[in-house]
Amino acid sequence: MKRIILFLTAIVALTLAPSCTHNNGDIGSWFGIWKVTSIKVDGVADSSYDGNIFWSFQSSVFQMKQVVAGEGIGRDERWGTWSEESGDLLLDFTHSSNAFPGGGIGSYQPLPATYLPANQVSRLKILKYPGSEMELSYTSETGKQITYSLKRW
């Protein structure tokens, strides 16, 4: 009897576990972690970029994570929301919390290395997607063309 209960418990757990990875439905090829392999500014590789930023998509939640090596391995995480509209990726960094009131500050602003503005919704043109690689382009307020190359991690 104990063996049957254990077997049924295992089946239920295995059946429910995969559903936890796609909260609020399947978002298709966007889902998961993407490594930013390069950042170009006006067509020239940004030499200050260390190849240590990751973008994650789940439901409508977007995360930027920068892994920082030093005395240990640390990370800087930033949060926003995302949507896809008319061939563009919209990244919304206008959110706030009790810890970061006012919108678009602290954990709710993009990483500086990405050149994206704080407290705004940034529109990135989708140049290449879907698949295991994507390329996005953003035109800054000063007219600089920022190109992001990403690879599914």
Side-chain angles (χ1 to χ4, degrees):
M1 184 67 165
K2 220 177 190 183
R3 191 177 282 171
I4 292 172
I5 291 173
L6 181 62
F7 178 75
L8 291 174
T9 303
I11 288 176
V12 169
L14 291 172
T15 302
L16 295 177
S19 65
C20 296
T21 64
H22 288 79
N23 291 335
N24 296 326
D26 185 2
I27 59 171
S29 298
W30 290 103
F31 179 78
I33 301 171
W34 296 79
K35 181 179 183 180
V36 180
T37 56
S38 73
I39 298 175
K40 293 180 182 174
V41 180
D42 291 331
V44 178
D46 182 358
S47 61
S48 67
Y49 177 57
D50 294 329
N52 59 347
I53 295 178
F54 298 84
W55 291 6
S56 299
F57 299 85
Q58 184 173 358
S59 183
S60 62
V61 177
F62 177 75
Q63 178 195 40
M64 282 184 176
K65 184 185 304 180
Q66 186 169 25
V67 179
V68 182
E71 299 239 348
I73 295 180
R75 64 180 181 255
D76 186 356
E77 296 178 345
R78 307 298 176 96
W79 299 91
T81 54
W82 73 277
S83 60
E84 183 181 359
E85 177 184 290
S86 303
D88 293 336
L89 171 66
L90 279 66
L91 299 179
D92 184 346
F93 285 100
T94 63
H95 303 286
S96 63
S97 67
N98 289 338
F100 299 105
I105 61 173
S107 295
Y108 299 103
Q109 63 184 329
L111 292 164
T114 64
Y115 299 96
L116 294 171
N119 204 22
Q120 290 186 27
V121 177
S122 298
R123 183 175 290 269
L124 287 74
K125 184 76 179 155
I126 301 168
L127 303 175
K128 179 181 180 183
Y129 169 86
S132 61
E133 296 181 0
M134 100 170 84
E135 192 169 273
L136 307 165
S137 178
Y138 171 72
T139 304
S140 73
E141 294 172 346
T142 61
K144 291 189 183 285
Q145 191 71 32
I146 316 298
T147 306
Y148 308 93
S149 296
L150 297 95
K151 185 172 180 91
R152 186 175 297 282
W153 190 251

